[in-house]
């Protein structure tokens, strides 16, 4: 979690990062990682709160990081509201996050911090996993797949139809059917769903 927080702070302009967004970066990073690999990056516990999921461990980690001089956290005025301002005082530790985790984290930072406001990302986080939990209860990792659309896109149908036509054409010529891996097929469907 420490490495993730430092990377987020180094990647974001302080104006683009507050408590709501930092919680959402952690949440989406862990849930997406769990959905794809059955393993979260930080392993934090997330609870249903009015502004979306929050991490049980974040405040303790931030306090510890402040005490040892790794991060500065200030309350600042932001359009008449009090907002947390995070500034990393040390470099991100090297080798803690894998290349895949770093790539996913950078994508999540882009989506949460640069393409959304605190309000819009808070609203966006109110997806099915959040809705299923009672206020204050843990949002279980096994609900991560519920974050993804469960209706195939028209492009996914087109790909499935093309695949079926290719299969039928190969069968009718009597040639061996080229088998694509299930992982490749799933990747093509996920790309089409975006």
């Amino acid at each position: 979690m420490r490495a993730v927080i430092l990377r987020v702070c180094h990647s974001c302009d302080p104006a683009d990062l507050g408590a709501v967004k930092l919680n959402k970066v952690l949440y989406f990073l862990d849930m997406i990682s769990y959905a794809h690999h059955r393993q979260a990056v930080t392993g934090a516990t997330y609870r249903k709160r009015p502004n979306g999921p929050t991490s049980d461990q974040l405040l303790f980690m931030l306090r510890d990081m402040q005490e040892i001089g790794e991060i500065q956290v200030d309350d600042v005025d932001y359009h008449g509201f009090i907002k947390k301002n995070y500034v990393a005082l040390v470099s991100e530790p090297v080798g803690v996050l894998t290349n895949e985790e770093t790539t996913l984290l950078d994508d999540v930072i882009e989506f949460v911090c640069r393409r959304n406001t605190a309000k819009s990302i808070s609203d966006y986080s109110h997806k099915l996993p959040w809705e299923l939990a009672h206020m204050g209860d843990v949002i279980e990792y096994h609900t991560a797949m519920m974050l993804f659309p469960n209706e195939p896109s028209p492009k996914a149908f087109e790909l499935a139809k093309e695949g079926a036509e290719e299969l039928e054409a190969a069968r009718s010529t009597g040639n061996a059917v080229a088998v694509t891996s299930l992982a490749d097929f799933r990747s093509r469907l996920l790309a089409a769903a975006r």
Side-chain angles (χ1 to χ4, degrees):
M1 184 179 282
R2 177 181 167 271
V4 170
I5 292 168
L6 288 171
R7 185 169 189 88
V8 173
C9 292
H10 280 293
S11 299
C12 294
D13 183 298
D16 291 334
L17 181 66
V20 169
K21 286 186 176 183
L22 185 54
N23 271 287
K24 300 315 170 268
V25 166
L26 292 170
Y27 173 73
F28 285 117
L29 172 69
D30 277 340
M31 294 298 267
I32 292 168
S33 177
Y34 188 85
H36 287 290
H37 308 292
R38 295 292 179 249
Q39 184 172 349
V41 175
T42 73
T45 302
Y46 298 95
R47 293 190 184 273
K48 180 176 181 171
R49 300 288 184 217
N51 290 328
T54 61
S55 164
D56 282 357
Q57 294 81 13
L58 180 58
L59 292 177
F60 297 106
M61 179 63 71
L62 290 171
R63 185 197 63 214
D64 292 347
M65 292 173 73
Q66 278 184 280
E67 286 177 3
I68 60 175
E70 292 181 330
I71 193 169
Q72 180 179 331
V73 181
D74 297 308
D75 289 334
V76 297
D77 178 69
Y78 188 76
H79 304 288
F81 295 96
I82 299 297
K83 173 187 151 325
K84 294 290 183 191
N85 199 48
Y86 304 101
V87 177
L89 303 174
V90 298
S91 300
E92 170 193 345
V94 178
V96 174
L97 300 172
T98 67
N99 288 339
E100 192 172 2
E101 290 168 339
T102 301
T103 299
L104 176 58
L105 176 55
D106 290 345
D107 289 345
V108 170
I109 291 168
E110 176 68 26
F111 177 73
V112 171
C113 298
R114 296 188 188 103
R115 294 186 184 183
N116 280 280
T117 64
K119 170 87 170 95
S120 68
I121 199 60
S122 178
D123 291 345
Y124 185 81
S125 71
H126 294 182
K127 298 282 187 191
L128 199 51
W130 181 86
E131 290 174 3
L132 291 174
H134 294 288
M135 195 59 68
D137 283 354
V138 171
I139 300 172
E140 300 291 343
Y141 277 109
H142 66 81
T143 64
M145 291 304 293
M146 295 178 190
L147 290 172
F148 300 98
N150 58 3
E151 293 182 21
S153 70
K155 181 69 176 169
F157 280 115
E158 286 177 35
L159 285 172
K161 182 180 176 192
E162 288 172 14
E165 289 169 354
E166 288 173 21
L167 180 63
E168 186 57 38
R171 278 191 190 147
S172 66
T173 62
N175 294 332
V177 177
V179 178
T180 329
S181 73
L182 180 58
D184 182 46
F185 180 69
R186 285 180 57 205
S187 295
R188 288 173 55 195
L189 286 178
L190 285 173
R194 292 183 202 154

